[in-house]
Amino acid sequence: MDHVIRPTTVEDWQRTKQLRLDALRDPVAHIAFLETYETAVARPDEVWQQRAAGSREELTARQFIAERPDGGLDGSVTVLIERAGTQDVLGGAIEADQAHLVGVFVRPEQRGTGLARALFDAAIAFAHELDEPRISRVRLYVHQDNERAEAFYRKIGFVRSGRSVPVPGDESSIEHELVLAREG
């Protein structure tokens, strides 16, 4: 794998914006993301700059990217650090300091190459290396119909926690919470 896995900087904002827009055009975007292409493309540049810089109001966030030698981006994952006593992005109560992995995307031609695993390894290491808060769990959500993604998550050590929530805007669908059960 010739990619460099690293956190984004504000200078990456245009490329990370394009990667997100490409992700939202993916055939499974409707079950993988809680945002549409139309909503994302309408966001002002300042939002993309803040995301790339790792600032999201009071929330600690760090986006990791997979960068090719030519500077192109082939994937990303974002870590949201959620503090006990607050609410998560879906409105649920946070009971313990934890890392929430979101925005997972790897270009189709890079799937199955180990790139997604490398992104996850970097994101999970970041979460566990934080001094404050000390992370007690790493989690993510997966749509009930996103079997391919859930199979990958299970392969790298995530298991269903038993918690499921309705998909915002589509109460007939659910998202399953998965937690990292082992470093595997």
Side-chain angles (χ1 to χ4, degrees):
M1 181 174 63
D2 292 334
H3 292 81
V4 172
I5 308 298
R6 66 173 179 82
T8 59
T9 65
V10 70
E11 291 80 19
D12 297 317
W13 76 269
Q14 290 173 308
R15 293 182 303 141
T16 57
K17 174 184 176 179
Q18 188 58 56
L19 183 67
R20 177 66 173 187
L21 295 176
D22 291 348
L24 292 170
R25 288 188 195 113
D26 191 272
V28 296
H30 67 287
I31 61 171
F33 303 108
L34 298 178
E35 176 179 49
T36 65
Y37 175 85
E38 293 75 21
T39 301
V41 79
R43 294 189 188 283
D45 289 346
E46 293 78 28
V47 169
W48 299 104
Q49 292 163 354
Q50 289 171 353
R51 281 184 174 185
S55 61
R56 290 192 183 175
E57 300 159 7
E58 299 293 315
L59 186 64
T60 299
R62 178 74 44 94
Q63 182 179 15
F64 289 86
I65 53 174
E67 184 176 32
R68 295 187 308 263
D70 68 5
L73 303 182
D74 281 335
S76 72
V77 62
T78 298
V79 183
L80 305 178
I81 302 301
E82 299 174 320
R83 301 300 303 253
T86 62
Q87 286 192 333
D88 67 18
V89 294
L90 298 174
I94 305 296
E95 297 175 7
D97 293 336
Q98 63 189 10
H100 185 165
L101 305 182
V102 300
V104 178
F105 177 70
V106 172
R107 292 190 188 281
E109 64 273 14
Q110 293 294 330
R111 293 175 188 163
T113 66
L115 192 60
R117 177 61 191 245
L119 284 162
F120 269 73
D121 287 349
I124 292 166
F126 163 75
H128 286 306
E129 290 167 2
L130 287 174
D131 289 331
E132 181 62 27
R134 296 299 302 163
I135 299 303
S136 63
R137 69 198 292 254
V138 178
R139 71 169 183 166
L140 54 82
Y141 282 97
V142 64
H143 189 281
Q144 67 188 23
D145 295 332
N146 202 345
E147 295 169 3
R148 185 176 196 280
E150 186 168 353
F152 167 73
Y153 301 144
R154 286 179 179 278
K155 181 179 176 183
I156 64 170
F158 283 84
V159 296
R160 286 191 184 183
S161 70
R163 179 172 188 244
S164 297
V165 297
V167 174
D170 179 9
E171 302 297 310
S172 68
S173 296
I174 59 171
E175 296 261 344
H176 300 292
E177 180 187 58
L178 278 68
V179 295
L180 187 60
R182 63 182 180 2
E183 300 295 321

